[in-house]
Amino acid sequence: NKGGEVSIFTGKSRCGFGSVLMRRIEDIARMRKMQSIWSWVLKDNIPARCFFEKEGFRSEGSGVKTYKGIVREGVVFRKILK
């Protein structure tokens, strides 16, 4: 089940676009009565990991995904919505 999965791709880093998008995503998730949202981030994607941590997500451990036959290691982040 991918319910609540968040993916954000922006052309620029550290300009506030991601934070603005995240606020809107959280608002929509709350309106849909979701209790949490989550994201899977590549293990080596330090900027994305820092972003999700800054936005209040906490690591739930590692996980793998396969895309076009390539297995990738990542970290699962989750944010509990209040």
Side-chain angles (χ1 to χ4, degrees):
N1 179 7
K2 290 189 169 210
E5 184 175 14
V6 174
S7 296
I8 294 178
F9 301 92
T10 64
K12 291 188 172 194
S13 307
R14 306 192 56 80
C15 294
F17 297 139
S19 295
V20 170
L21 287 171
M22 187 59 70
R23 295 291 82 73
R24 185 68 180 126
I25 290 166
E26 290 176 14
D27 289 344
I28 291 168
R30 285 186 189 95
M31 286 189 302
R32 293 183 178 186
K33 308 289 188 219
M34 300 175 94
Q35 296 186 5
S36 67
I37 53 179
W38 65 278
S39 186
W40 182 90
V41 178
L42 282 170
K43 184 175 89 172
D44 297 332
N45 189 343
I46 302 305
R49 291 176 65 170
C50 290
F51 169 78
F52 281 103
E53 288 172 352
K54 177 182 74 89
E55 294 298 321
F57 286 69
R58 297 294 169 248
S59 171
E60 289 193 335
S62 61
V64 296
K65 281 191 174 186
T66 303
Y67 179 71
K68 294 186 177 183
I70 300 170
V71 177
R72 308 292 297 262
E73 288 186 58
V75 179
V76 177
F77 287 91
R78 181 173 304 277
K79 182 173 186 175
I80 305 300
L81 302 174
K82 298 176 182 176

